[in-house]
Every structure is written in C-alpha cells, then in structure tokens.
Amino acid sequence: MSIIPLTKEQINYLDDLIFEEGIYSYEELVKRIGGPRPPIRKAIRQLKGVVGFATCPQCKRDIVVTIFNRNQKFCCIEHKKKYFNTHRKKTKLTICKNCGKEFYQYSFRNNVYCSCSCAAEHREMVKREQKELKK
Ligand SMILES: [Zn+2]
Ligand SMILES: [Zn+2]
C-alpha cells in the first residue's frame, strides 16, 4: 500500500496550524487535517522548522518538536504537573542518625534525620558531649 501524499493545501494548512496557531499535539493535527496518519506524519517531518517528534511521558501521545518548542517534553502543562506529582515518590531508604529508625525520602534529598525533632535532639546531644569533653 503506497502512501498518498497530502495536497499542497493540506500542507499549507498543517504549516499554519503548527506555526501560526502553535498546535504541537500530533493527535490534534491529525484530527484537523483528517485522513490517514502516515502521510500527515511524513508531511510534518518535511515542514521547514520542524525538528521531529517527541512523546509526552504522561499520555504517551506524540508532540511535534519545532525550532520554537525544542525543549517541550509534555503535550501540556497539566500533564507535566501530573507526571511530576506521580513520579516524585519517596524511594530512598535512610536510617536516622539519631533514633536509628528507617525512613524513606525523595531520591534527591540527603536528610540524615527522620524528623526535625530528631535533628534538634541530635544537635543537643552533640553539644552536650562536647561540653563533657571540655570538662
Ligand atoms: Zn500528554
Ligand atoms: Zn529519628
């Protein structure tokens, strides 16, 4: 089965949708143009200013990446928020330096105490020990 290319009008319309209206969602573009996907995808790739495609990590839908939205990784702000909210889980197992309790924290954190009170308690203890040593 050969791919029937888009007409010149369709290509111009596609160009307008992306560069005039700023529609980067591949699904939305397919809906606006109508018809089978392969020729639409091919035509998008060939547009001047189009870099390629990216996939939104949240909805797994494609986004058109152009020279104007090079760093766009999500199809919309909502999905970006959603993604970070669901993927920011406390996975780093740490043992509290004060009470010895195991606790989980975000992988990018480096807390050594399970709580503020433990941090304060430990600080007090160190102070006391230093005082004892001075005696
Ligand atoms: Zn998305
Ligand atoms: Zn603790």
Side-chain angles (χ1 to χ4, degrees):
M1 209 177 78
S2 65
I3 295 171
I4 303 158
L6 298 189
T7 63
K8 214 170 162 50
E9 286 73 40
Q10 281 178 311
I11 290 170
N12 283 339
Y13 183 42
L14 203 53
D15 195 274
D16 277 354
L17 289 175
I18 297 170
F19 294 102
E20 300 286 328
E21 293 190 41
I23 296 168
Y24 298 118
S25 156
Y26 178 55
E27 292 298 316
E28 184 63 28
L29 292 168
V30 168
K31 218 189 285 169
R32 297 281 192 107
I33 299 290
R37 288 155 180 272
I40 296 174
R41 201 175 177 92
K42 201 176 165 200
I44 291 172
R45 273 195 189 285
Q46 285 169 346
L47 288 178
K48 212 176 167 191
V50 168
V51 178
F53 289 92
T55 308
C56 173
Q58 178 62 29
C59 65
K60 310 289 181 219
R61 287 198 182 115
D62 282 346
I63 338 159
V64 178
V65 180
T66 73
I67 51 170
F68 300 111
N69 70 329
R70 269 183 200 281
N71 298 319
Q72 188 173 342
K73 287 181 178 64
F74 294 86
C75 69
C76 55
I77 300 289
E78 276 65 43
H79 284 178
K80 190 174 183 173
K81 276 191 207 156
K82 229 180 185 173
Y83 186 82
F84 281 112
N85 282 339
T86 51
H87 285 79
R88 252 180 33 178
K89 284 194 182 127
K90 293 181 176 182
T91 53
K92 191 158 132 186
L93 180 65
T94 315
I95 293 165
C96 178
K97 218 174 149 183
N98 184 57
C99 68
K101 200 176 87 181
E102 290 182 343
F103 67 100
Y104 287 93
Q105 61 179 324
Y106 293 125
S107 58
F108 54 88
R109 289 261 163 84
N110 284 309
N111 292 336
V112 290
Y113 306 108
C114 70
S115 61
C116 290
S117 59
C118 267
E121 219 174 85
H122 195 257
R123 225 181 295 132
E124 280 305 307
M125 200 183 77
V126 170
K127 242 190 241 169
R128 241 179 293 136
E129 273 175 5
Q130 279 172 346
K131 251 187 209 166
E132 292 288 317
L133 284 174
K134 274 179 195 159
K135 271 182 192 169

